[in-house]
């Protein structure tokens, strides 16, 4: 069915017809030479940020392209993944007509964005072992289903989904499959980036908010076919990635070793935390994690959450999510924070 996939048949008519805003910086970018820019009504006095930023973030994309092995024409950057996901909704889902499929328990933003965009969100629960229920998902697809959101490694459960399950969806669904890889850097599973050429209906999103330690600057990345990226480029705000974010992100991605060192430490700490949680009497089940957090089923989540709060430790109570009754999600902290957490847990 993949072979019949045609992006033009799923893009919104209004987006197809759109002629994007052409900004001054679309026409000329400074090459550091002696050009005089009098085209954008900026204040000419130099202070580091008096000029509009590059609307296509060329320097940053060049490095990412090298590191990820994906061409710059297959990338779009957003103000966090949240902006990227919102752009995907706005490009492909007609309000009050189209629908998407999400797989709870999962990241809450897919649903919120569906509501904001007046798009129906069809929820198909994961199986009890936290895998996509492929037959149920395919049964939920109708002529107005445009997107399926897959979060792998999944938040809050922590597991990566089986490759075969995702493959079946990519091959059987004639809309877009969005794979959110916010936690991929903590996983030893292969990224779906390597499959972009094989699947024209695949979108992969990543972020600098987790492993890269830059949640504060807001930088999300969307990888997809050139056809999909050019549609998203048409509708994105021209200067969606500010200058400070572009600079900071560039510095950080150039310092790959530092990022890698922190990831290694976080993974060591995750193992320590898992071991400690496992030994606690009130922990009934610990779910295996491919991310920088662990989900634990406890005897009484509300009570344990409150006890931790009294000790100044804030975790996430995920009990209201389906299949997650009495669960707490622990983000892996620094070695010192984890030592404190573990000491407190042992006293409860
Ligand atoms: C944290 C997280 C993100 C990150 O979103 P940003 O807007 O890039 O900070 C995306 N997806 C999932 C599943 C997450 O848990």
């Amino acid at each position: 069915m993949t072979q019949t996939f045609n992006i033009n048949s799923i893009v919104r008519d209004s987006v197809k017809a759109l002629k994007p805003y052409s900004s001054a910086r679309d026409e000329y970018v400074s090459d550091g030479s002696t050009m005089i820019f009098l085209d954008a009504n900026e204040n000419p006095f130099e202070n580091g940020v008096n000029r509009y930023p590059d609307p296509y973030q060329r320097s940053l994309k060049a490095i990412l392209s090298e590191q990820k092995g994906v061409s710059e024409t297959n990338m779009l950057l957003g103000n966090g993944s949240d902006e990227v996901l919102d752009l995907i909704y706005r490009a492909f889902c007609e309000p009050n007509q189209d629908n998407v499929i999400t797989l709870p328990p999962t990241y809450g933003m897919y649903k919120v964005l569906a509501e904001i965009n007046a798009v129906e969100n069809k929820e198909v629960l994961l199986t009890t072992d936290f895998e996509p229920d492929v037959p149920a998902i395919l049964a939920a697809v109708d002529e107005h289903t445009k997107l399926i959101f897959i979060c792998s490694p999944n938040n809050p459960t922590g597991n990566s989904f089986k490759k075969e399950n995702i493959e079946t969806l990519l091959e059987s669904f004639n809309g877009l499959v969005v794979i959110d890889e916010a936690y991929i850097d903590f996983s030893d599973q292969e990224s779906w980036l390597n499959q972009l050429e094989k699947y024209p209906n695949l979108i992969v999103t990543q972020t600098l908010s987790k492993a890269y330690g830059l949640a504060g600057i807001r930088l999300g990345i969307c990888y997809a076919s050139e056809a999909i990226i050019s549609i998203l480029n048409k509708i994105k705000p021209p200067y969606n990635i500010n200058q400070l974010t572009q600079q900071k992100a560039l510095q950080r991605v150039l310092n790959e070793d530092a990022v890698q060192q922190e990831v290694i430490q976080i993974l060591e700490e995750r193992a320590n935390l898992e071991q400690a949680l496992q030994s606690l009497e009130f922990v009934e089940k610990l779910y295996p994690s491919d991310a920088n957090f662990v989900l634990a089923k406890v005897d009484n989540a509300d009570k344990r959450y409150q006890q931790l709060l009294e000790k100044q430790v804030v975790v996430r109570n995920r009990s209201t999510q389906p299949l997650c009754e009495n669960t707490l999600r622990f983000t892996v902290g620094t070695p010192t924070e984890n030592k404190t957490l573990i000491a407190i847990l042992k006293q409860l």
Side-chain angles (χ1 to χ4, degrees):
M1 201 195 251
T2 303
Q3 303 321 315
T4 69
F5 179 76
N6 176 2
I7 191 71
N8 283 316
S9 68
I10 71 160
V11 82
R12 288 170 67 197
D13 289 337
S14 54
V15 172
K16 222 185 294 183
L18 181 80
K19 196 172 170 301
Y21 172 73
S22 170
S23 69
R25 287 291 161 276
D26 276 341
E27 295 172 29
Y28 288 103
V29 203
S30 172
D31 57 0
S33 74
T34 53
M35 287 174 96
I36 297 177
F37 282 98
L38 305 175
D39 58 346
N41 299 347
E42 297 148 337
N43 177 328
F45 298 107
E46 190 56 53
N47 65 16
V49 288
N50 56 313
R51 299 291 179 183
Y52 280 104
D54 176 2
Y56 296 109
Q57 311 93 24
R58 283 159 257 227
S59 313
L60 182 52
K61 277 184 191 161
I63 306 294
L64 285 170
S65 168
E66 216 172 278
Q67 293 181 350
K68 303 282 178 177
V70 177
S71 158
E72 293 166 47
T73 51
N74 297 110
M75 271 179 216
L76 172 127
L77 305 188
N79 186 10
S81 319
D82 292 343
E83 184 183 44
V84 165
L85 298 170
D86 187 53
L87 288 173
I88 296 169
Y89 269 99
R90 291 199 284 142
F92 300 106
C93 298
E94 198 61 40
N96 302 310
Q97 176 183 308
D98 288 333
N99 65 70
V100 302
I101 295 177
T102 62
L103 316 178
T106 194
Y107 186 46
M109 274 310 282
Y110 314 136
K111 179 189 182 136
V112 171
L113 289 168
E115 286 168 3
I116 291 171
N117 287 290
V119 170
E120 184 195 350
N121 173 33
K122 296 195 186 198
E123 298 189 320
V124 180
L125 289 197
L126 295 178
T127 61
T128 49
D129 57 349
F130 295 149
E131 282 291 327
D133 185 342
V134 176
I137 295 167
L138 293 177
V141 170
D142 65 30
E143 57 176 324
H144 293 299
T145 307
K146 296 293 187 74
L147 312 169
I148 299 176
F149 285 97
I150 293 178
C151 186
S152 182
N154 187 40
N155 177 6
T157 59
N159 62 307
S160 302
F161 298 148
K162 287 201 185 87
K163 195 169 181 220
E164 308 87 80
N165 285 336
I166 298 180
E167 254 164 13
T168 308
L169 292 173
L170 279 161
E171 279 160 18
S172 322
F173 175 52
N174 212 5
L176 293 169
V177 176
V178 181
I179 305 183
D180 183 341
E181 292 191 336
Y183 299 99
I184 192 69
D185 306 286
F186 302 107
S187 163
D188 47 21
Q189 301 279 313
E190 198 187 335
S191 164
W192 285 86
L193 281 184
N194 307 321
Q195 308 294 316
L196 280 177
E197 277 172 36
K198 182 169 177 192
Y199 298 108
N201 60 339
L202 170 61
I203 295 181
V204 177
T205 65
Q206 295 184 356
T207 178
L208 300 192
S209 295
K210 306 286 153 67
Y212 285 81
L214 297 180
I217 69 168
R218 314 303 302 128
L219 200 289
I221 314 165
C222 173
Y223 300 93
S225 73
E226 242 180 278
I228 295 172
I229 294 298
S230 49
I231 291 164
L232 297 176
N233 266 326
K234 264 171 73 161
I235 65 167
K236 83 174 186 70
Y239 302 115
N240 62 329
I241 311 296
N242 74 67
Q243 183 67 24
L244 300 175
T245 293
Q246 293 191 38
Q247 280 165 2
K248 188 80 184 174
L250 191 63
Q251 276 173 15
R252 186 65 164 161
V253 296
L254 282 172
N255 202 351
E256 265 185 303
D257 286 348
V259 175
Q260 200 46 45
Q261 278 311 313
E262 290 181 4
V263 168
I264 289 169
Q265 277 201 65
I266 290 168
L267 293 181
E268 281 170 10
E269 285 305 315
R270 183 181 77 194
N272 289 339
L273 180 59
E274 283 171 334
Q275 203 184 14
L277 285 167
Q278 224 135 28
S279 71
L280 296 170
E281 230 167 80
F282 65 83
V283 172
E284 292 173 1
K285 185 168 182 180
L286 199 59
Y287 297 94
S289 171
D290 257 348
N292 65 335
F293 57 81
V294 277
L295 188 73
K297 190 180 272 299
V298 297
D299 56 350
N300 181 339
D302 290 342
K303 173 176 153 193
R304 302 306 176 184
Y305 176 85
Q306 217 46 50
Q307 286 179 323
L308 285 169
L309 207 52
E310 277 158 27
K311 303 278 186 190
Q312 317 274 344
V313 177
V314 188
V315 298
R316 201 86 205 267
N317 188 346
R318 295 284 71 190
S319 300
T320 54
Q321 290 259 317
L323 309 173
C324 293
E325 301 76 30
N326 279 319
T327 58
L328 297 176
R329 191 190 67 193
F330 298 82
T331 304
V332 178
T334 63
T336 316
E337 288 172 337
N338 286 333
K339 222 150 108 207
T340 308
L341 167 68
I342 290 167
I344 292 168
L345 286 169
K346 285 185 172 158
Q347 286 169 11
L348 296 188

